[in-house]
Amino acid sequence: MRLTVEDLCVALGGRPVLHDVTLDAGEREIVGLVGPNGSGKSTVLRAVYRSLRPERGAVRVCGDDVWRLSARQAACRTAAVLQDATGNPVGLSVSEVVAMGRTPHHGLLGRDDAGDHRAVREALAACTAGHLAAREFTSLSGGERQRVLLARALVQRPRLLVLDELTNHLDIRARFELLDLVRSTGVTTLAVLHDLDLAVRLCDRVVVLHEGEVVASGPVLETLTSALLAEVFGVAATVRRHDDGVVRVTYAADPLGTAAPTPVRG
Amino acid sequence: MTRATAPVTRRPAPAPADPKARAAPPLPLLLLGLTLALLALMLVAVGVGSVSVPPDETWRVVLAQLTGGTGTDPVHTQIIWDFRVPRVLLAALAGTGLAVAGVVLQAVVANPIADPYVLGVSSGAALGAVLALSFLPLTIGWIGVSSAAFLGAVLSAGLAFLLGRRAGRLAPTRLVLSGVAIGYLFLAATSYLQLRATPGELRSVMFWMLGSVSGASWQQLPVAATVILTTTAALVLLARRLNTLLMGDESATALGVDVHRLRAVLLVLAALLTGTVIAVAGGIGFVGLVVPHLVRLSCGGDHRRLLPLAAVTGAVYLVAVDLLSRTVDRPNELPIGIFTALFGAPFFLWLLRRNTSLDAA
């Protein structure tokens, strides 16, 4: 297994937010982490990219506990694309932002060599962002930014990719472009996706979090049953494979059940 | 200068209004050019003053002193070697230290309006110096007052950083506002002490508050040079990690950077730089704001370029401003801090208006 999370318990400011979360992701697998706001999805990710030390349990990437690795060693294995509100990369070009992905591979005296420059060019090309290389990062559109950040993650040469709301605030075309890109990387991926419709398209498997606990996990169709969607998300919906072979979420005419005399939730 | 007054509404539109692809010359070439410019400017600055010395005579005196030669005019030798050379060297060192400290603080808070002066550091230094002048025996001398100024600077920086934190993280706006408040508090204490000061003490209080390189002497230079140059070199080694801080704490962590430790190290180094500069040259404001931005606008924000270029540009800037401060109203000299503020404050305001990302912070 590329990623195994075992009995993960995390507390934030003394308040427990994750209870015995267990999940895994195999070679080239794309695993989606879904759940309502506040269910602990981003917290799981933070534990995986070694930002948050768990109270109990372990996160293993390629067999090693990330907290037994140094921060740099861990970052050579796991790359993340995050919604980082505090970032403000004034004056950095796109290729400089992507080159940051080489940071864990260099010590204090390390300088970018021809190989690093090539890695940056290749990653940008793979993310269809080669033409943006000389642009200033802060001048990019939302979709362009995310493609560039994905390129930065690929330059890290990760064995595990962690994505937090990769497609948030993006227009619909940019969303599908990004999903295609993620799939084309072939890197094992753990992704938080807010949009269930995108999650069922992208992921091989989903893990459903609810109030800090894993309530279901497995292949999309078997896991996201109508009963579960009603219980966890509080909406009436079905997930099924349509005639064209695509799995889609269909929301009921009255998804909240407010008009019906008997609501979905008892 | 193009005015990028994009409305604060949304991210900029993708294609047309886009800064041109930067094709700046390679770093070694830029550094070489700037260093040569610095040396030329320093030579001019050494020649100019209340007594003018022709450039060739200046060059002969400097060369004679460096090589142990003799035969130069003794009066010129004294003016140049004992007064002007240390003064110009001190201006260059102070410029380097303040510019580098500015770059570092701006990266630490991921916000371009940070600057040692804005963080109340110079008020702290002034208070430290005034306390030493008022309450310590005169025998402690120049070294004692400098040390007190250094402690005051480090103390006020530490306070600003402690108060600027929220939930264990530095909040940029909070940091700047804390710095301003601390600056006023220390200024009040300094003003009170000034009322009790003798005219002689008052002059030296003004020195610490406005900054000056006019009192430079050879004795101050070795320690200041060692601290400023080694700290700058250490920071250049950290340049790649400084870049990651611009992406935000979580992203930097995911890039394998221990953000909290890095930030603590950077703050200590920035306080060390600022404290050292203030201890020898007083509170010269806005250099740490103006120089990093000029370099960023012309050569980009990658710290692997920005740090070394800002270090040399800072030296050029302060040598030039010092030259200005003693030629504008010849033969009188005006405090250098007046000019750095004259250029710096409007620049700061322009930056505030231009930088829409600040509104989000």
Side-chain angles (χ1 to χ4, degrees):
Chain A
M1 279 294 162
R2 279 297 161 95
L3 167 71
T4 35
V5 175
E6 291 164 6
D7 304 320
L8 192 69
C9 295
V10 171
L12 284 175
R15 193 175 59 90
V17 286
L18 294 181
H19 315 277
D20 297 309
V21 169
T22 295
L23 59 89
D24 57 41
E27 181 99 9
R28 299 182 72 89
E29 203 175 18
I30 300 181
V31 174
L33 204 50
V34 297
N37 287 339
S39 58
K41 304 182 296 287
S42 295
T43 310
V44 173
L45 294 192
R46 288 185 68 191
V48 170
Y49 62 76
R50 201 181 174 282
S51 165
L52 209 55
R53 195 189 276 272
E55 310 278 296
R56 264 189 317 115
V59 172
R60 292 180 213 287
V61 178
C62 302
D64 294 307
D65 188 330
V66 292
W67 284 100
R68 288 180 192 272
L69 301 173
S70 71
R72 261 180 68 193
Q73 286 171 326
C76 289
R77 299 185 183 193
T78 307
V81 179
L82 309 170
Q83 297 280 324
D84 213 326
T86 58
N88 187 15
V90 193
L92 289 188
S93 74
V94 164
S95 50
E96 282 160 357
V97 167
V98 176
M100 276 186 209
R102 300 307 296 163
T103 306
H105 297 276
H106 288 286
L108 284 182
L109 295 172
R111 292 166 56 97
D112 281 352
D113 58 22
D116 294 315
H117 294 307
R118 196 171 55 242
V120 169
R121 279 196 306 274
E122 285 170 2
L124 274 171
C127 294
T128 61
H131 59 293
L132 302 174
R135 288 262 302 266
E136 189 145 330
F137 180 77
T138 49
S139 77
L140 301 181
S141 72
E144 289 169 338
R145 278 181 191 223
Q146 294 302 79
R147 294 213 304 273
V148 168
L149 291 181
L150 192 61
R152 190 194 67 194
L154 293 180
V155 154
Q156 254 170 286
R157 294 275 149 82
R159 281 169 270 181
L160 172 68
L161 199 53
V162 171
L163 308 174
D164 193 3
E165 306 281 16
L166 185 70
T167 59
N168 241 13
H169 308 304
L170 299 186
D171 62 50
I172 195 68
R173 185 181 165 83
R175 292 183 191 204
F176 285 123
E177 283 171 353
L178 272 165
L179 292 195
D180 278 352
L181 276 177
V182 171
R183 232 192 313 259
S184 71
T185 63
V187 181
T188 304
T189 300
L190 179 65
V192 165
L193 284 164
H194 221 74
D195 188 330
L196 274 185
D197 222 13
L198 295 179
V200 299
R201 273 172 188 269
L202 176 71
C203 301
D204 302 313
R205 281 194 296 132
V206 287
V207 174
V208 185
L209 272 184
H210 187 41
E211 292 171 358
E213 286 179 60
V214 175
V215 291
S217 73
V220 174
L221 279 177
E222 284 98 286
T223 310
L224 295 177
T225 60
S226 295
L228 180 108
L229 292 175
E231 190 202 323
V232 173
F233 293 91
V235 293
T238 52
V239 176
R240 66 179 181 86
R241 192 177 295 281
H242 287 238
D243 298 336
D244 56 5
V246 177
V247 179
R248 290 193 184 88
V249 183
T250 313
Y251 296 97
D254 176 24
L256 299 179
T258 41
T262 46
V264 184
R265 297 183 76 176
Chain B
M1 202 74 59
T2 52
R3 298 224 311 158
T5 44
V8 201
T9 48
R10 212 28 81 79
R11 295 190 185 95
D18 183 53
K20 283 175 237 89
R22 273 203 320 270
L27 179 63
L29 210 63
L30 274 174
L31 274 179
L32 183 70
L34 273 171
T35 310
L36 289 177
L38 174 64
L39 290 176
L41 183 66
M42 284 168 91
L43 201 62
V44 172
V46 165
V48 175
S50 40
V51 176
S52 275
V53 183
D56 55 328
E57 171 75 359
T58 312
W59 179 243
R60 268 202 302 280
V61 169
V62 172
L63 211 62
Q65 289 294 327
L66 288 177
T67 56
T70 48
T72 48
D73 181 84
V75 177
H76 282 172
T77 305
Q78 196 193 14
I79 289 175
I80 287 174
W81 194 251
D82 293 347
F83 297 114
R84 293 210 191 134
V85 171
R87 174 184 190 143
V88 168
L89 285 175
L90 184 63
L93 279 172
T96 296
L98 291 173
V100 170
V103 170
V104 171
L105 287 175
Q106 284 150 22
V108 160
V109 299
N111 197 309
I113 60 165
D115 160 75
Y117 193 68
V118 174
L119 297 179
V121 177
S122 35
S123 310
L127 181 60
V130 177
L131 279 173
L133 287 166
S134 309
F135 295 113
L136 294 177
L138 281 176
T139 48
I140 60 160
W142 186 86
I143 298 277
V145 179
S146 277
S147 310
F150 178 80
L151 287 178
V154 173
L155 180 77
S156 58
L159 265 179
F161 294 133
L162 282 179
L163 296 172
R165 281 149 48 106
R166 186 168 50 203
R169 283 150 194 261
L170 274 171
T173 321
R174 195 180 269 235
L175 180 70
V176 171
L177 293 179
S178 308
V180 171
I182 290 165
Y184 273 113
L185 189 68
F186 284 6
L187 193 64
T190 308
S191 305
Y192 173 70
L193 289 170
Q194 270 179 281
L195 291 177
R196 306 158 37 121
T198 63
E201 285 167 359
L202 214 53
R203 271 183 61 88
S204 98
V205 172
M206 288 302 287
F207 165 81
W208 294 105
M209 291 179 68
L210 284 173
S212 172
V213 288
S214 61
S217 70
W218 282 106
Q219 293 97 288
Q220 310 173 314
L221 289 176
V223 175
T226 310
V227 172
I228 290 167
L229 296 180
T230 49
T231 309
T232 301
L235 286 164
V236 170
L237 291 183
L238 292 171
R240 186 193 283 275
R241 283 160 180 73
L242 270 142
N243 279 350
T244 66
L245 287 183
L246 298 187
M247 302 306 295
D249 284 10
E250 288 295 308
S251 298
T253 305
L255 287 165
V257 173
D258 187 336
V259 173
H260 292 289
R261 199 170 61 189
L262 176 64
R263 194 167 267 143
V265 168
L266 293 176
L267 286 180
V268 169
L269 293 180
L272 187 66
L273 276 177
T274 316
T276 305
V277 171
I278 289 183
V280 290
I284 302 174
F286 294 105
V287 178
L289 194 73
V290 171
V291 173
H293 279 286
L294 288 179
V295 178
R296 218 179 259 123
L297 286 172
S298 52
C299 301
D302 188 330
H303 287 87
R304 289 172 290 179
R305 292 165 67 86
L306 178 57
L307 267 174
L309 288 175
V312 186
T313 310
V316 172
Y317 178 72
L318 213 54
V319 171
V321 174
D322 176 47
L323 186 58
L324 194 68
S325 77
R326 57 201 162 94
T327 47
V328 160
D329 187 23
R330 273 212 289 192
N332 293 320
E333 273 187 25
L334 299 169
I336 192 170
I338 289 180
F339 285 92
T340 56
L342 197 65
F343 302 139
F347 188 84
F348 182 65
L349 291 174
W350 172 74
L351 210 64
L352 281 177
R353 286 185 59 82
R354 178 179 180 275
N355 198 319
T356 49
S357 62
L358 288 175
D359 301 318

